[in-house]
Structures are given as structure tokens and as C-alpha cells.
């Protein structure tokens, strides 16, 4: 039975959806991590409970005496000792050398950047085809003082929304979507509510990472000094 249970567990892990979601409403923006049906809030973070301050402990007995260290006074013609020079000179290692700064700011070879872009562009394309937008919601309630301008903006908003829906449906797989535009002639402020949940299964994510990670290793050769060719 064990040889049946282990493959079943691996298949379930590969089918596990992972993703990220965002909501904008009355309470402001919120971002959360999605693991199957569990939502873990990422932003805003919960305020930490203030720690209780401990009462200061009174020292017992007489406090230790502090010895006043006086700097040695040099007479005319007397040279400072090595210890005094070490104390006066700044500590080594605090300021990085100029050569290290120049190496960090040095430009990189553009050919190496092109090799990375040749992998990044198809990776993003495959990622776009494998992710799923499980929920897409958007409600725009227009308001204003002039009814004529409000009616014109209402028509423009629906036209822009139609073009946006066509682009989104061509680019992504959307399971549930609800995008609407409303008009409030008695209101003073325009209101908006939006929500988007984007997920990808763990198996698809691992396949992308392994596939393009192997291509990156094949296209790059390590030099003796550790550089990438």
C-alpha cells in the first residue's frame, strides 16, 4: 500500500494551487498569500502588541567608582607613543577601499544581459499561459455635479472596460470575472472596489523552474575565476 500512497501524495502536492491576491475597498489595500483555500495576510501587517516595560532594578550596595582616564600630556619635543597613534587613527575596515566601490559600480557586459533576456521573455510567456486568474472583480461608481459630464464619462468608462476585458481574456485564463460601471447622480465622490486572485499549481511552477533553470545552466559556462560567460 505504501507504493500507492506516496505517488498519491506527490500528485496532490503537484495539484496544490499557490498564488497571491489583492483587494482594494473601504478598508484600503490588502495583499494576501493563497495556499489552496487558506489566505495568509501579507499587507497590512497586524500591529504588534507592546511589550511590558520592566521596572528598573535598584543596584545593591555602593556603586563602583569610575576611574577618570586622563590623556597623557606631552611635553615639548616628546613624540606620541604607538598606542596613542593607534587610538587617534581611525579603525581599519570601516571604510571600504575605493577599488571595491569601483568594482561594484562597474558596468556589466551587454551580451551577458542579452543571453538572460532571451530566457526571461519566453519564461514570462509560459508563466502567463500557466497562471489562472480565479477571481477578477471591479466596481466603479461614478459621481459628479454635472449630469451631462457624468453621462459622458459613464459611456467612456464602459468603452474602456470593453477593450480591457478583450485584452485580459486574450492574455489570461479567467475563471470568474465581474467588472461593472455604475453612475450615481446624487453622489459627490467616485467609489471603486477591486479584487484579483492569481494562482498557479505547484507542479506547473516546478516544471517552469526546472525547465528554464536547466536552460540557464546549459547556456552559461563558468570561468575559472567564478565569472559567467
Amino acid at each position: 500500500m505504501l507504493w500507492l500512497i506516496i505517488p498519491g501524495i506527490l500528485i496532490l502536492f503537484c495539484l496544490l494551487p499557490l498564488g497571491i491576491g489583492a483587494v482594494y475597498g473601504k478598508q484600503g489595500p490588502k495583499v494576501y498569500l493563497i495556499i489552496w483555500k487558506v489566505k495568509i495576510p501579507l499587507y497590512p501587517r497586524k500591529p504588534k502588541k507592546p511589550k511590558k516595560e520592566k521596572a528598573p532594578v535598584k543596584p545593591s550596595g555602593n556603586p563602583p567608582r569610575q576611574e577618570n582616564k586622563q590623556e597623557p600630556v606631552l611635553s615639548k619635543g616628546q613624540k606620541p607613543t604607538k598606542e596613542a597613534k593607534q587610538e587617534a587613527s581611525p579603525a581599519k575596515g570601516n571604510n571600504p577601499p575605493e577599488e571595491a566601490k569601483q568594482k561594484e559600480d562597474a558596468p556589466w557586459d551587454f551580451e551577458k544581459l542579452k543571453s538572460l533576456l532571451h530566457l526571461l521573455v519566453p519564461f514570462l510567456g509560459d508563466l502567463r499561459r500557466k497562471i489562472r486568474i480565479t477571481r477578477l472583480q471591479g466596481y466603479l461608481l461614478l459621481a459628479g455635479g454635472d449630469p451631462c459630464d457624468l453621462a459622458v464619462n459613464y459611456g467612456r468608462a464602459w468603452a474602456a472596460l470593453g477593450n480591457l476585458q478583450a485584452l485580459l481574456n486574450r492574455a489570461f485564463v479567467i475563471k470568474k470575472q465581474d467588472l461593472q460601471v455604475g453612475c450615481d447622480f446624487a453622489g459627490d465622490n467616485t467609489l471603486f472596489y477591486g479584487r484579483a486572485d492569481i494562482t498557479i499549481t505547484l507542479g506547473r511552477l516546478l516544471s517552469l523552474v526546472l525547465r528554464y533553470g536547466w536552460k540557464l545552466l546549459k547556456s552559461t559556462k563558468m570561468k575559472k575565476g567564478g565569472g559567467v560567460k
Side-chain angles (χ1 to χ4, degrees):
M1 292 295 294
L2 186 62
W3 62 277
L4 291 175
I5 295 175
I6 295 177
I9 294 174
L10 293 177
I11 292 173
L12 289 176
F13 269 107
C14 291
L15 297 177
L16 181 68
L18 303 174
I20 192 168
V23 179
Y24 183 84
K26 291 183 179 180
Q27 298 179 355
K30 292 183 179 180
V31 182
Y32 49 87
L33 181 67
I34 302 173
I35 302 177
W36 192 38
K37 293 184 178 181
V38 181
K39 297 177 182 178
I40 303 173
L42 299 177
Y43 177 84
R45 296 183 179 180
K46 294 182 179 180
K48 297 181 180 179
K49 296 181 179 180
K51 297 181 180 180
K52 295 182 179 180
E53 296 181 357
K54 297 181 179 180
V57 180
K58 295 182 179 180
S60 59
N62 297 326
R65 296 180 179 178
Q66 296 181 354
E67 297 181 357
N68 295 327
K69 295 183 178 180
Q70 298 180 355
E71 295 182 357
V73 180
L74 301 177
S75 60
K76 295 182 178 179
Q78 185 179 359
K79 297 182 180 180
T81 59
K82 293 182 179 180
E83 297 178 355
K85 290 181 179 180
Q86 291 177 358
E87 292 179 357
S89 61
K92 295 181 179 180
N94 293 337
N95 298 324
E98 295 181 357
E99 295 180 359
K101 291 182 179 180
Q102 292 177 358
K103 289 181 179 179
E104 292 177 358
D105 299 336
W108 200 39
D109 190 0
F110 183 70
E111 295 297 329
K112 298 176 183 179
L113 180 60
K114 285 174 62 177
S115 62
L116 292 177
L117 291 176
H118 284 314
L119 289 177
L120 182 61
V121 173
F123 172 77
L124 294 177
D126 287 348
L127 180 64
R128 175 183 60 83
R129 287 187 289 269
K130 291 184 180 298
I131 63 175
R132 299 290 182 266
I133 300 179
T134 56
R135 179 176 294 182
L136 181 63
Q137 292 179 332
Y139 306 134
L140 180 63
L141 184 61
L142 298 174
D146 191 351
C148 295
D149 292 341
L150 188 58
V152 172
N153 294 332
Y154 178 74
R156 290 177 178 174
W158 268 116
L161 182 59
N163 295 330
L164 178 62
Q165 280 184 309
L167 292 174
L168 290 175
N169 291 328
R170 284 199 300 266
F172 303 100
V173 177
I174 304 174
K175 293 185 177 181
K176 295 180 181 180
Q177 62 174 323
D178 186 11
L179 303 176
Q180 298 181 13
V181 178
C183 196
D184 185 9
F185 291 96
D188 296 329
N189 299 322
T190 299
L191 304 177
F192 174 76
Y193 171 81
R195 178 177 178 179
D197 294 345
I198 302 173
T199 60
I200 184 173
T201 59
L202 183 60
R204 289 178 175 177
L205 183 61
L206 289 176
S207 66
L208 281 175
V209 172
L210 293 176
R211 178 183 174 187
Y212 285 94
W214 176 249
K215 287 183 178 181
L216 182 62
L217 290 176
K218 286 180 64 177
S219 62
T220 57
K221 296 180 181 180
M222 302 302 294
K223 290 184 178 181
K224 293 182 180 180
V228 180
K229 185 177 180 181

